[in-house]
Amino acid sequence: MLHENTALLLRVLSSPSAASEPRASLLSRFAQAILSTTVCGSLEVWLQEGERTQRWCFPPGGEPSSLAPEAEGELSERLTEALSLTTAAGVAPRGGSWTPDEVLLPFEVTPRVRGVLLLRSGPRGAFDARAVEHADLLALALGNELGHQQTQAALTERVKELTCVYQIAQIAAEPLPLHEALERIVELLPAAWQEPEATSARISVEGETFRSADFSASGEVLRAPILLGGQGAGWVEVFHAGCEASAAFLPEEQHLIDAVARELASLIERKRAEAERVRLQTQLHHTDRLATIGLLAAGVAHELNEPLASVLGFAQLAAKAPELEESTRADVERVIKAALYAREIIRNLLVFSRQSPQRKVEAKVDAALDQAIALVEPRCATASVTISRQVPATLPPIQADPSQLQQVFLNLLVNAVQAMPGGGVLEISARHEGGAIHVGVQDSGKGIASEDLERVFLPFFTTKDVGEGTGLGLSVVHGIVAAHGGSVAVTSEPGRGTRFEVSLPCSPSKESE
Ligand code: ADP
């Protein structure tokens, strides 16, 4: 008889492992206990959650359980009726409906999840009123246990989710480069999901992708956009490679992935702001250093200018004396040549330190660029360098010294060609944006080592052989651009090329005036 085993069955149901074991296993344990201790020959458990109905059939004969989730709309009339009993009174009224062959008992798991227990009699006898009463008690207990299990499972999931968000916040607080932080975060995502072993994750932000170990983009996917400044900048995705699509993700997991996407967005924005702060600080430090060196250079240049003028003047006078011996004349010519060279260096130093006079007029940047390009074109032809020019004719004129502008571009172009001894591509571009004209000079040459990058604008810094470079070209570029209220920046990838970008304001600032 069913009722004789009720106490035993209730004990089976509420065993300590019930809260943590999967739902199908709890049902299987419950079914096997009923089948082996009562007149019941086979049983079914139906669970309905919103639109979704699941059905488990437990036939006799020792097979643990057979799981058959039912398609929507296939509820039998009796089952629908039984389920409706659970809602009519808010809680399941006891008793259900029964015949000697079949007992149909509704129960409630949670207000959103309702169930029906269907017992069929077997060869050991038929149901009577007492057996039904006890079966009803079991249905009630099953509902409670499933409800408890669901609450427990939801709690475990919530703890996993909070742990995940907490760990992300911890990684975000570490002083790591962004890519390293994202690599670590993507690794901890699968553990926060219902079935970590069947789950893998991927974070894609602005062209970069990070994947968890054993990543597989198959099965069901849950995703959330990463929004930077309100704009979509990427995705965080979680894939579930399990076979049962309907059970792949819990509804709360969409909230979790949304929270992860928000955490990632704030992490990326914070790291970027930090990188920008460091960049501006370095730039300020660099500009400061160049200004100090400029003052020093200007002082030295002024001091040398006068004695040098005397050397040059007297040497030129001496060269004109008719009675000079040929060898002495040659020596005097050498003195003149060296003095002229020194004068050129002093002139460049004065340009670098912004001490040389300027003649500012309305000047066309594209014209200055074209004149500079024309001067390097023959050299490009012999060095197999292809020039790509993307300079619109519509650039507005700026207040500048046209010959100094030409010198800026010429210095950059000559350096670029020299960096490509085996040939390459020289890209020259210009655009008008944000009240300034930005000119880019990019080569596909040998690049600049990172430790040299911040020294290239210093006077006399050169990596070229003696006679090939004085190390003043970029100092002059810097001096001229700064005197025009603009800025010059360099980026380079050793072995792949270098890009210089000169920005010149369309209306000069007060400082440069
Ligand atoms: P110089 O050309 O006389 O050496 P610059 O001041 O023009 O002096 O350049 C300083 C140094 O910067 C160069 O010696 C070279 O090492 C580096 N440099 C400048 N432009 C480039 C470039 N486009 N590619 C690689 N290195 C460059």
Side-chain angles (χ1 to χ4, degrees), residues 437-489:
I437 291 179
H438 307 273
V439 177
V441 175
Q442 180 157 356
D443 62 63
S444 57
K446 59 185 178 212
I448 301 173
S450 58
E451 64 271 22
D452 289 344
L453 211 52
E454 68 166 38
R455 296 194 287 165
V456 290
F457 294 106
L458 295 178
F460 306 113
F461 173 79
T462 182
T463 55
K464 295 174 190 166
D465 290 339
V466 182
E468 263 190 45
T470 54
L472 281 173
L474 290 178
S475 312
V476 165
V477 167
H478 183 272
I480 293 175
V481 171
H484 284 79
S487 63
V488 51

Side-chain angles (χ1 to χ4, degrees), residues 57 68 126 197 203 370 399 422 439 469 504-505:
C57 306
E197 32 330 297
I203 298 172
D370 284 342
Q399 286 296 314
V439 177
L504 295 160

